[in-house]
Amino acid sequence: STTEKPILLNNIADAEAFVSGAEVAVIGFFQEPESAEASQFRLAAGRISEVPFGLSTSPAVLSHYGVSANTVTLFRRVDNDRRDLDMNNKDVDTEKMTRFVRMNELRLVTEYNPVTAIGVMQSSLQFNLLLITDKMSPKHPERMRKFRASAELFRGKILFILLDSNLKSNEQVVSYFQLKKSQLPALAIFHTPDDEHDVMTVDEISIERVQDFCNRFIQ
């Protein structure tokens, strides 16, 4: 691609603009741009094309984010949270960094799989709303458009999750909500502290229905 990865962030204003410009952004904070850790970071950046990576060696930027050198930080908008990975630990490599990003890259709508499941469990948001649906359905793009629009309304309150019913690894979740394939698509809302949940089968998704379902459950 024509854009250089990672992007060099030389001052606080650049760093803040970089973080606020994406649903998920990753910055590597290093003392030396050519250190072994920084080159591992560049390799990880090359592997994950859809997440923007920045790199900073500016003492002012490090201090602004309260990090020490050799830290990789992931910022995400969905719950205004961040995750830090300390690279001074000698066994952190490109593999571990890639996994760290994949695990924590929660988005406005996060697709559920065995890796993102870990990040979902660790999110500070206590409510999860799952859209359990067949991604191969011709109606899928339109459903997703409305589900995303609904997610905007509950940003910072509810984690919106897409669960593809075709994946074998997701069968357990579908059966947890006591749903059969014939009842899908369905919405399932879940309160993590006490496992309280509610399920609604939906033929068509509308923003109003999602909003109403969420509000009723939260109340």
Side-chain angles (χ1 to χ4, degrees), residues 26-175:
V26 176
I27 301 181
F29 299 99
F30 299 100
Q31 218 154 6
E32 293 296 328
E34 300 311 323
S35 66
E37 292 87 358
S39 57
Q40 295 272 2
F41 179 72
R42 286 193 173 86
L43 285 173
R47 283 188 187 184
I48 304 176
S49 59
E50 69 284 18
V51 175
F53 276 65
L55 187 149
S56 187
T57 54
S58 150
V61 175
L62 270 74
S63 146
H64 177 73
Y65 287 106
V67 292
S68 56
N70 297 339
T71 303
V72 174
T73 301
L74 178 141
F75 299 87
R76 59 187 191 215
R77 199 185 293 166
V78 64
D79 53 2
N80 291 321
D81 210 343
R82 62 180 259 190
R83 291 280 184 269
D84 293 343
L85 177 69
D86 180 2
M87 287 195 67
N88 290 307
N89 189 338
K90 289 289 168 260
D91 65 348
V92 172
D93 57 7
T94 306
E95 219 39 71
K96 286 221 169 83
M97 242 182 292
T98 305
R99 186 174 163 76
F100 166 77
V101 174
R102 287 297 184 213
M103 201 167 82
N104 290 296
E105 58 166 332
L106 303 184
R107 297 171 177 275
L108 198 55
V109 174
T110 300
E111 185 160 347
Y112 190 88
N113 61 45
V115 179
T116 56
I118 302 163
V120 166
M121 305 285 184
Q122 293 172 347
S123 166
S124 56
L125 299 184
Q126 298 196 329
F127 293 98
N128 294 346
L129 179 72
L130 284 78
L131 169 59
I132 304 171
T133 188
D134 172 2
K135 265 179 80 177
M136 305 309 285
S137 160
K139 292 180 176 176
H140 181 70
E142 182 57 18
R143 281 183 189 136
M144 271 307 285
R145 196 182 64 73
K146 292 184 175 156
F147 194 59
R148 265 191 81 83
S150 308
E152 285 282 3
L153 305 172
F154 291 97
R155 186 198 304 232
K157 263 192 187 165
I158 299 176
L159 203 55
F160 275 57
I161 297 163
L162 168 68
L163 191 109
D164 184 5
S165 56
N166 292 317
L167 285 187
K168 195 130 188 69
S169 58
N170 286 339
E171 283 174 2
Q172 218 176 337
V173 184
V174 178
S175 65

